Amino acid sequence: MAATCEISNVFSNYFSTMYSSEDPTLASVPPAAALGADDLALALSSPQMPLEGTEKASWSGEQPQLWSKAQVLDWISYQVEKHKYDASTIDLSRCDMDGAALCRCAPEELRLVFGPLGDQLYSQLWDLTSSFPDELSWIMELLEKDSMTLQEPLGDQGPFGESHFLEKSQHRLNLPPPPEQGSPFAQEMLEDYRQASPFYPGSFGAGAPSPGSSEVSTTGTGTSQSSHASDSGGSDVDLDAPDTKLFSGDGLPDCKKGDLKHGKRKRGRPRKLSKESRECVESKKNKHAPRGTHLWEFIRDILIHPELNEGLMKWENRQEGVFKFLRSEAVAQLWGQKKKNSSMTYEKLSRAMRYYYKREILERVDGRRLVYKFGKNSSGWKEGEVAGRRN
DNA sequence: CACTTCTTTCCTGCTT
DNA sequence: TAAGCAGGAAAGAAGT
């Protein structure tokens, strides 16, 4: 049970932070043009000061790991200017890297390229990466690495005591943290999570759905928790509450189960929000939020961390990729949280799973309830592959 | 903007 | 009888 709560919290945290609001103004920043190596010197010699005034840098608001070369350059330029560093001492030929490459740099490497500025860069980079939630796999990997600390009693702080969470963030560069304290962004993430997660202690009252119970809210109940789980895409968590509340009156044009004036409801997915509402919401969000993991990847990621998913799913035959849902509704709820859909149920999730048969991502396992098998078009679940992914 | 992909939602009928 | 499965149909959301 404890382990089950933990995994739920882990996922909740991930899901909540993954979609945590980002500064919408960032989206308006024009993408940095692709720069060639020849442009490096120019860029460094005439750096912009992106954080002045209302202007935002091309790199701000994006995960450092996802920065393009140009964004990396922008960021370096900014740091050079900020620290009044003599750019002429920088080995420009070694600045030609994207965010992922930058993040892989050890402090020594940065020092080698940027001299004394390297430490500053490393520190700043760490702060930036700490502020962004990443993919499930990342969290899961970290959790696995830190499984010893995860197995500690939850205590009063919950599964992610703040310091613990921040410690995990520090691993993102596979490097030790800089001497300073944790990122303030991470603190915000934690706050978001606290307010948002139904699994976070205290977030919900006595009626909070326990991941250990099957008392999960579904479409039909219509009496979901504190937030109005208004629609298929309604915000189960409260991250978007200020937005959705704006439209709680008449902004939800479509019907749900209870809205059957003439007997049967129309087929298909109900409309989420009116166009106006959606535009209003989108104006507050990133225009192109990443699509994120697919359902089968989500399932796979739970499965490949057996020590963490205890109670949710289990392998029936790891070699053949056969697995079973142990607490189907809890998994569905987690999936729903990831998709910000409080009305997700196992029934719906399983429909999506069945579509994978056609694409051979899953294979049928006849005669066994809640049992599925990975197909030839799935990947990343075999022991060899998992080991590879972790190295 | 049309198209595609990946779901999401609902449904009917069947099986366990 | 309930829960789960199978798969059609239609639609939403986001990417191309």
Side-chain angles (χ1 to χ4, degrees):
Chain A
M1 182 61 190
T4 301
C5 290
E6 281 173 15
I7 185 73
S8 298
N9 279 292
V10 167
F11 281 107
S12 298
N13 188 31
Y14 161 64
F15 299 143
S16 301
T17 55
M18 180 173 171
Y19 292 100
S20 63
S21 57
E22 293 172 359
D23 188 343
T25 61
L26 303 180
S28 63
V29 177
L35 297 175
D38 292 343
D39 300 313
L40 293 173
L42 180 63
L44 290 178
S45 62
S46 55
Q48 52 175 305
M49 285 297 287
L51 299 184
E52 282 181 0
T54 57
E55 232 178 293
K56 298 269 184 176
S58 64
W59 47 267
S60 67
E62 264 191 57
Q63 295 184 51
Q65 285 91 337
L66 303 179
W67 286 350
S68 65
K69 288 180 180 178
Q71 284 172 305
V72 167
L73 209 63
D74 259 1
W75 178 72
I76 294 171
S77 303
Y78 167 69
Q79 295 294 338
V80 164
E81 180 68 18
K82 183 180 166 188
H83 295 97
K84 307 290 180 199
Y85 192 76
D86 180 9
S88 64
T89 64
I90 296 176
D91 181 358
L92 297 177
S93 66
R94 302 184 66 172
C95 296
D96 187 23
M97 59 180 136
D98 59 16
L102 180 67
C103 289
R104 282 195 296 270
C105 288
E108 310 83 62
E109 294 177 78
L110 291 175
R111 221 172 290 134
L112 205 65
V113 179
F114 301 103
L117 184 63
D119 287 333
Q120 290 295 330
L121 294 183
Y122 177 76
S123 173
Q124 295 294 318
L125 191 59
W126 179 83
D127 267 358
L128 285 168
T129 52
S130 303
S131 70
F132 286 100
D134 202 346
E135 291 301 321
L136 172 66
S137 56
W138 166 69
I139 283 188
M140 299 299 284
E141 283 171 20
L142 292 181
L143 288 172
E144 185 173 22
K145 284 176 192 165
D146 280 1
S147 59
M148 288 182 68
T149 51
L150 185 70
Q151 283 161 14
E152 289 170 1
L154 299 186
D156 292 335
Q157 280 191 322
F160 271 128
E162 294 177 25
S163 58
H164 185 66
F165 181 79
L166 294 175
E167 281 167 21
K168 292 182 178 309
S169 300
Q170 291 165 3
H171 290 244
R172 300 203 60 200
L173 298 173
N174 293 320
L175 296 169
E180 299 99 315
Q181 78 299 345
S183 158
F185 294 106
Q187 301 280 348
E188 287 177 26
M189 283 159 55
L190 191 76
E191 277 308 307
D192 281 349
Y193 165 61
R194 278 181 169 159
Q195 292 164 15
S197 171
F199 298 133
Y200 196 94
S203 294
F204 282 77
S210 155
S213 74
S214 56
E215 294 291 308
V216 288
S217 73
T218 60
T219 311
T221 68
T223 56
S224 56
Q225 308 103 20
S226 58
S227 68
H228 43 231
S230 53
D231 207 335
S232 64
S235 57
D236 50 332
V237 293
D238 248 352
L239 291 174
D240 290 339
D243 296 330
T244 49
K245 276 170 188 160
L246 291 172
F247 324 115
S248 58
D250 55 359
L252 302 168
D254 222 305
C255 54
K256 293 215 69 173
K257 267 186 180 172
D259 201 11
L260 310 175
K261 291 194 175 173
H262 302 290
K264 294 189 178 180
R265 181 192 171 283
K266 265 179 80 178
R267 283 191 165 193
R269 190 178 187 164
R271 191 179 299 278
K272 206 172 182 180
L273 292 171
S274 68
K275 191 186 172 194
E276 295 77 22
S277 305
R278 214 165 47 231
E279 279 170 3
C280 189
V281 169
E282 279 167 2
S283 72
K284 294 197 158 210
K285 288 183 176 178
N286 247 3
K287 266 186 176 170
H288 292 292
R291 194 160 194 159
T293 50
H294 295 153
L295 172 59
W296 71 269
E297 294 170 312
F298 170 82
I299 297 297
R300 176 201 65 195
D301 287 340
I302 294 176
L303 278 163
I304 63 179
H305 295 84
E307 72 280 22
L308 296 172
N309 84 59
E310 188 181 346
L312 289 175
M313 289 187 288
K314 69 167 185 178
W315 288 109
E316 293 270 290
N317 185 329
R318 177 66 189 266
Q319 280 69 44
E320 294 189 12
V322 181
F323 60 93
K324 180 176 186 176
F325 284 83
L326 298 177
R327 289 181 28 243
S328 52
E329 286 297 340
V331 175
Q333 281 294 295
L334 287 170
W335 176 240
Q337 278 199 26
K338 178 173 168 57
K339 303 299 286 288
K340 303 187 83 174
N341 177 0
S342 63
S343 64
M344 179 52 62
T345 62
Y346 176 72
E347 190 181 358
K348 295 171 190 171
L349 182 150
S350 66
R351 181 70 191 96
M353 297 281 281
R354 289 195 296 275
Y355 270 121
Y356 287 141
Y357 294 147
K358 219 169 195 174
R359 294 159 57 198
E360 296 184 285
I361 289 168
L362 293 177
E363 289 177 26
R364 277 192 190 78
V365 177
D366 290 326
R368 300 209 54 203
R369 290 188 169 194
L370 303 172
V371 177
Y372 298 83
K373 179 182 179 183
F374 284 116
K376 65 180 182 186
N377 289 335
S378 63
S379 62
W381 54 268
K382 298 185 186 85
E383 277 166 313
E385 288 178 291
V386 171
R389 282 156 58 91
R390 291 177 185 175
N391 294 332

